[in-house]
Amino acid sequence: MKTQAAASYPLGVSTRGKMLTRVGYAALYTLLIILAVTQLLPLLWLMLFSLKNNQEVFNLPPFALPSQPHWENYMNVWTSGNIGRYFFNSVLVTVISVVLTVLLASFVTFAITRMRWKGSQLVLGLFMVGLMIPVHSTLIPLFSMFLKLHLTDTPLSIILSYVAFNLPTTMMILLGFYYALPREVEEASVMDGCSVNRMFFRIVLPMTTPVMATTSIINMIYNWNEFIFVNTFISSDENKTLTVGVQNFIGQYTTDWGAIGATLMISILPILLVFLIMSDRIVEGIAAGSVKG
Amino acid sequence: MEKVMSNKLVIALYVLPSLLLLLAVIYVPIVLTGYYGLNQWNGIGPMTFVGLDNYQHLFTDTAFWQSAWHSLLLALFSGVSLIGYLVIAMILSGNIKGANLLRKIYLIPMLLSSVAIAQLWLKMYHPTNGVLNSLLASLGVHNPPEWLANPSLVLPALFIPIIWQYAGFYILIYYAGLKNIPETLVEAARIDGASAWQIATRIKLPLLREVINVTIILSIVGSLKYFDLIYVMTDGGPNGASEVMASYMYHQAFRSFDFGYGSATAFALLLICLVATWLIRKATASGDTIQYS
């Protein structure tokens, strides 16, 4: 009954007659759709010019279709440069960082929320203050530290940075979930003579799979797109990830728009695909990750 | 139970790896940044202790203050645009059909890397073949502006893609917050004859206050440390017209190899972000808790 009322008078305009409602609705929808189109149009244009040759890019109107799609742009870009290598590096760095971050954050969150020890609140505080630290203010010392340890230009330098900077956000999302876990689970397993490790790996961790999936996706998006650490720490082409590799690659192709478009499309397609498949999780994760601060 | 859950060895094993990483990658570098700022150093050679010279120089460095002003402008611009996002989220949350799909579409740019967005918008702003100037040309404009090469247009031209990138993010946060407001409250007000405007301003806004506070901090602090897109699109140019604090720091350290001065800038950036967070918290927390009567 209640929901029905809410559905038929969504904006509280019920008192002003049906006509106004309809006009109002149309106006609101127009606004919302204009916004959606604005969000998509640059990407549509990118897709279009990734399939055109220069002549078509320069002579046709921006949103005209190419006479025939030049799929060879994609082939050329993939085979002529290091895109495949960058792609592999991005996958490697992203996967390792995400697994490490989510696992380590689960350990700490479990220890803080479920176990009893002095200093747990202090440690939690240290992690939460980490949320407010801009990466730029750590960049110069990190660079010189990694230089001394011979870690610059290795994937390890960026993985360590990603894990450290993602731990606070990840823990923040996990915290609420861990606090809500019922105490009875622990009591029962302790009664059965379960060790803490066993309890954590066999009972608690499986129970938190949904929230781990959410945090993994958020971590993934962040790591896949990260720029400043890779740009600073990695110097050789062999170790670059897609974001920085794409940036340099485009530098060589300033005039071939089709090649540039194809490169950009290759770099954003994986994220778009993941989004198509798991959009609910992502939306929910981003909302959870930001509001709880 | 008590004994199992306060097992010191397990706690240490669960907490120490992450804690050490946090200290090594975030906290130690921050202290070092402050310390490097007291030295003259090219990053490789020996450091010379110069006391507060770098910090004093920062105060009189007009190029730094210009970059700080640009960061502040971006912060103000982002802060004001939150109002628009809030309005959109309000409309979207009013049981609009397709709301789910729309907010997902809005979110798409946020998922892409800053480099891809920057490269795409570089093409959008291209003086002759970009979408913008192609359209202007077809409308009969003969000398369309060179958006990114014009010192007085470059900042607004950069703000637009930033807005485009983050719109969906803030709309999503507000939408999630609005959906958390119990339907019964809104329904009760509606039965009492409250108008849509009254419901929005007297009920939804006060209840959304915490969420709004968080977004204000996120957008202002995020703007103060904003870097990626500007670095790729204009690199602070033309002639410093789009330099922001983070890019200024980066140029000092990694291009001029003035690591001491770069560190002082980075430390100032950190302090400005922390002070801004504190000020916003203070300003938004001053009111009493809202009473509903």
Side-chain angles (χ1 to χ4, degrees):
Chain A
M1 188 52 196
K2 210 170 274 164
T3 46
Q4 235 177 15
S8 40
Y9 311 121
L11 296 155
V13 280
S14 56
T15 47
R16 304 204 197 147
K18 270 221 160 98
M19 202 50 214
L20 185 66
T21 315
R22 210 169 283 167
V23 173
Y25 249 127
L28 295 180
Y29 260 110
T30 315
L31 179 68
L32 293 176
I33 288 167
I34 288 175
L35 187 66
V37 170
T38 323
Q39 293 302 88
L40 289 181
L41 222 49
L43 294 168
L44 178 70
W45 181 60
L46 171 66
M47 200 177 78
L48 284 173
F49 81 69
S50 77
L51 294 171
K52 291 178 180 173
N53 60 26
N54 263 1
Q55 214 185 346
E56 290 166 326
V57 174
F58 301 153
N59 297 331
L60 293 176
F63 289 97
L65 290 167
S67 51
Q68 67 183 78
H70 291 272
W71 292 108
E72 68 269 17
N73 286 342
Y74 284 79
M75 277 308 295
N76 294 343
V77 165
W78 186 268
T79 49
S80 74
N82 283 324
I83 295 278
R85 178 82 214 172
Y86 302 148
F87 201 93
F88 172 78
N89 287 339
S90 274
V91 172
L92 184 83
V93 167
T94 301
V95 168
I96 296 179
S97 310
V98 168
V99 171
L100 273 177
T101 311
V102 174
L103 206 59
L104 285 176
S106 298
F107 277 129
V108 182
T109 312
F110 177 77
I112 285 176
T113 56
R114 314 306 291 190
M115 300 187 73
R116 269 152 244 165
W117 45 294
K118 272 186 219 159
S120 65
Q121 289 315 299
L122 175 75
V123 169
L124 179 63
L126 276 176
F127 277 100
M128 291 303 117
V129 171
L131 286 169
M132 292 190 289
I133 308 294
V135 294
H136 312 88
S137 56
T138 61
L139 201 63
I140 297 170
L142 274 181
F143 178 72
S144 70
M145 277 162 58
F146 286 141
L147 203 63
K148 275 185 200 127
L149 295 168
H150 301 285
L151 287 178
T152 40
D153 207 18
T154 64
L156 193 58
S157 63
I158 36 184
I159 292 173
L160 288 176
S161 311
Y162 291 177
V163 176
F165 273 98
N166 284 341
L167 275 174
T169 335
T170 310
M171 282 175 58
M172 195 172 76
I173 304 174
L174 292 179
L175 275 171
F177 207 92
Y178 271 83
Y179 276 126
L181 287 179
R183 281 264 170 222
E184 288 76 16
V185 176
E186 285 156 28
E187 277 159 21
S189 47
V190 171
M191 293 292 188
D192 290 348
C194 206
S195 74
V196 184
N197 282 317
R198 211 177 145 81
M199 177 201 303
F200 177 73
F201 283 106
R202 291 293 175 81
I203 300 165
V204 174
L205 216 49
M207 285 173 76
T208 61
T209 4
V211 70
M212 283 202 291
T214 304
T215 55
S216 299
I217 295 163
I218 294 181
N219 272 295
M220 192 206 103
I221 295 171
Y222 171 80
N223 295 339
W224 185 268
N225 292 332
E226 203 280 329
F227 175 72
I228 192 168
F229 283 135
V230 187
N231 196 47
T232 313
F233 300 153
I234 304 295
S235 48
S236 67
D237 254 354
E238 198 189 334
N239 291 318
K240 275 179 187 144
T241 59
L242 208 50
T243 24
V244 173
V246 158
Q247 171 65 8
N248 297 0
F249 189 72
I250 287 172
Q252 311 159 18
Y253 281 87
T254 41
T255 50
D256 186 348
W257 283 47
I260 293 170
T263 313
L264 292 177
M265 283 302 291
I266 292 176
S267 81
I268 66 179
L269 275 176
I271 290 286
L272 288 183
L273 267 181
V274 171
F275 187 60
L276 274 181
I277 302 166
M278 314 201 63
S279 55
D280 284 323
R281 265 265 123 78
I282 294 176
V283 166
E284 167 201 319
I286 292 174
S290 38
V291 178
K292 282 183 184 157
Chain B
M1 176 77 189
E2 187 71 30
K3 210 169 174 186
V4 177
M5 295 312 279
S6 49
N7 183 331
K8 291 249 159 50
L9 182 69
V10 174
I11 292 168
L13 272 174
Y14 281 19
V15 173
L16 280 182
S18 307
L19 188 60
L20 291 177
L21 192 67
L22 185 82
L23 294 176
V25 176
I26 300 184
Y27 285 101
V28 171
I30 280 178
V31 175
L32 284 177
T33 300
Y35 172 69
Y36 289 172
L38 301 172
N39 290 270
Q40 194 165 40
W41 187 37
N42 64 8
I44 307 151
M47 277 190 216
T48 330
F49 189 81
V50 293
L52 290 171
D53 277 13
N54 284 326
Y55 292 98
Q56 269 168 358
H57 180 198
L58 204 58
F59 269 99
T60 54
D61 182 355
T62 46
F64 171 73
W65 288 109
Q66 197 192 5
S67 72
W69 169 241
H70 298 154
S71 295
L72 185 68
L73 280 178
L74 176 59
L76 291 175
F77 183 71
S78 314
V80 171
S81 56
L82 289 179
I83 299 169
Y85 302 147
L86 185 57
V87 171
I88 299 282
M90 286 257 185
I91 299 173
L92 209 55
S93 69
N95 288 312
I96 289 260
K97 266 192 205 128
N100 255 330
L101 179 69
L102 283 168
R103 76 189 165 128
K104 281 174 194 166
I105 291 175
Y106 300 158
L107 198 65
I108 288 176
M110 155 90 191
L111 307 171
L112 311 179
S113 75
S114 296
V115 170
I117 292 174
Q119 289 294 347
L120 171 59
W121 280 82
L122 274 178
K123 296 289 175 242
M124 300 272 287
Y125 284 128
H126 192 278
T128 50
N129 307 317
V131 167
L132 212 56
N133 283 1
S134 301
L135 289 177
L136 285 177
S138 68
L139 290 174
V141 178
H142 287 303
N143 282 318
E146 294 198 25
W147 301 96
L148 299 175
N150 185 333
S152 52
L153 287 179
V154 64
L155 272 185
L158 285 172
F159 290 173
I160 288 168
I162 297 174
I163 282 266
W164 180 77
Q165 185 179 12
Y166 285 101
F169 173 71
Y170 289 109
I171 292 173
L172 166 64
I173 296 178
Y174 288 142
Y175 180 86
L178 285 164
K179 281 289 163 190
N180 276 337
I181 296 176
E183 189 66 40
T184 46
L185 268 177
V186 179
E187 200 52 38
R190 197 167 287 147
I191 290 165
D192 288 347
S195 69
W197 175 253
Q198 283 172 325
I199 290 175
T201 52
R202 304 273 178 82
I203 295 181
K204 290 184 174 175
L205 271 187
L207 285 174
L208 207 60
R209 197 168 139 165
E210 266 310 303
V211 177
I212 294 174
N213 292 350
V214 172
T215 56
I216 293 174
I217 292 179
L218 279 177
S219 84
I220 290 184
V221 175
S223 305
L224 292 177
K225 61 184 187 193
Y226 200 79
F227 175 78
D228 293 11
L229 203 86
I230 292 175
Y231 176 80
V232 176
M233 284 182 75
T234 62
D235 200 16
N239 201 12
S242 63
E243 195 87 273
V244 287
M245 284 192 286
S247 66
Y248 189 70
M249 179 283 288
Y250 201 83
H251 289 144
Q252 295 303 319
F254 296 100
R255 210 156 292 162
S256 312
F257 297 104
D258 196 344
F259 277 63
Y261 192 53
S263 297
T265 319
F267 202 69
L269 175 66
L270 171 73
L271 290 181
I272 290 171
C273 287
L274 291 180
V275 169
T277 310
W278 182 75
L279 278 179
I280 301 165
R281 282 252 161 86
K282 192 112 201 196
T284 49
S286 57
D288 303 319
T289 25
I290 309 105
Q291 301 281 321
Y292 304 99
S293 50

